[in-house]
Amino acid sequence: MVERNLDTTFMALADPTRRAMLVALSTGEKSIGELAAPHAMSFAGASKHVGVLVRAGLVRRRKIGRQQVCTLEATPLRDAEQWLRRWEGFWTDRLDALEAALKEKPQ
Amino acid sequence: MVERNLDTTFMALADPTRRAMLVALSTGEKSIGELAAPHAMSFAGASKHVGVLVRAGLVRRRKIGRQQVCTLEATPLRDAEQWLRRWEGFWTDRLDALEAALKEKPQ
């Protein structure tokens, strides 16, 4: 199930507007209008992006009066980060190998 | 430029076969046939996935005789991991807040 969620999480993250929306939500909940504002985007355009984030489980959307208010749901981001963290050792190993190779080089 | 690369990196990662191919390449270079084998996939199907990874800068592909050999290029994965790492503080803050709330609760 996590594997399937990774598909939708990474797909949702593959767009700069959606990534910016998540960053905006990290400081607190926002209306769709507030999320649209920095992108000179229509309400409908912003709402479509929010829909992708909602379906990926990254955002919760609820109605307060006439407004739709969005809240960040960070758990899928943590799963994605954990998947990517496995490569950390890979970079470190490569750097260690490079360092070792440089040390072996005659001065 | 990194922002644009994040689009293609996250898009490339939004597929379980491509993620599995990257994991397979983390232990060393592989031919397209070797990458296809665990997925009961045609050479053409595997080659298409490898193409997406190559265009995203995650894999380098070169010909050795009649074989195409693939190597992992991990740098874009590091950029993606760094983008996701910003949320680490967010989870910690939420856990701290939860812990504080639990402590305040009368025993």
Side-chain angles (χ1 to χ4, degrees):
Chain A
M1 193 175 115
V2 167
E3 269 299 306
R4 201 191 139 273
N5 286 353
L6 282 175
D7 290 3
T8 54
T9 304
F10 284 132
M11 189 62 83
L13 292 177
D15 180 279
T17 304
R18 290 197 290 270
R19 290 197 300 276
M21 285 177 164
L22 293 174
V23 173
L25 289 172
S26 70
T27 59
E29 55 183 30
K30 302 264 182 305
S31 70
I32 306 252
E34 285 170 321
L35 287 175
H39 307 286
M41 187 175 264
S42 69
F43 181 90
S47 187
K48 207 169 163 180
H49 278 303
V50 168
V52 175
L53 295 170
V54 168
R55 284 189 294 280
L58 289 161
V59 163
R60 203 158 22 96
R61 179 170 45 181
R62 66 190 198 285
K63 279 208 164 185
I64 298 185
R66 294 174 61 183
Q67 270 198 334
Q68 292 197 46
V69 174
C70 300
T71 318
L72 180 66
E73 293 282 339
T75 311
L77 294 173
R78 190 179 51 194
D79 296 338
E81 203 267 339
Q82 276 168 357
W83 189 89
L84 281 163
R85 192 170 283 194
R86 73 175 66 200
W87 306 97
E88 205 172 27
F90 185 81
W91 306 315
T92 317
D93 292 349
R94 292 288 287 265
L95 286 173
D96 287 351
L98 185 67
E99 196 178 41
L102 287 172
K103 274 184 185 161
E104 273 175 29
K105 213 175 153 184
Q107 300 298 310
Chain B
M1 195 177 112
V2 168
E3 269 299 305
R4 201 190 139 273
N5 286 353
L6 282 175
D7 290 3
T8 55
T9 304
F10 285 130
M11 189 62 82
L13 293 177
D15 180 278
T17 305
R18 290 197 291 270
R19 289 197 301 276
M21 285 177 164
L22 293 174
V23 173
L25 290 172
S26 70
T27 59
E29 55 183 29
K30 302 265 183 304
S31 70
I32 306 252
E34 286 171 320
L35 288 175
H39 306 287
M41 186 175 263
S42 68
F43 181 90
S47 187
K48 208 169 164 180
H49 277 304
V50 168
V52 175
L53 294 170
V54 168
R55 284 190 294 280
L58 289 161
V59 163
R60 204 158 22 95
R61 180 169 46 181
R62 66 190 197 286
K63 279 208 164 185
I64 299 184
R66 293 175 62 184
Q67 269 198 334
Q68 292 195 46
V69 174
C70 299
T71 318
L72 180 68
E73 293 282 339
T75 311
L77 293 173
R78 190 178 51 194
D79 295 339
E81 202 267 340
Q82 277 169 355
W83 189 87
L84 281 163
R85 191 168 283 193
R86 73 176 65 198
W87 307 97
E88 204 171 28
F90 185 80
W91 305 315
T92 317
D93 292 349
R94 293 287 287 265
L95 286 173
D96 287 352
L98 185 67
E99 197 179 39
L102 287 172
K103 275 186 186 159
E104 274 174 27
K105 214 176 156 184
Q107 300 299 308

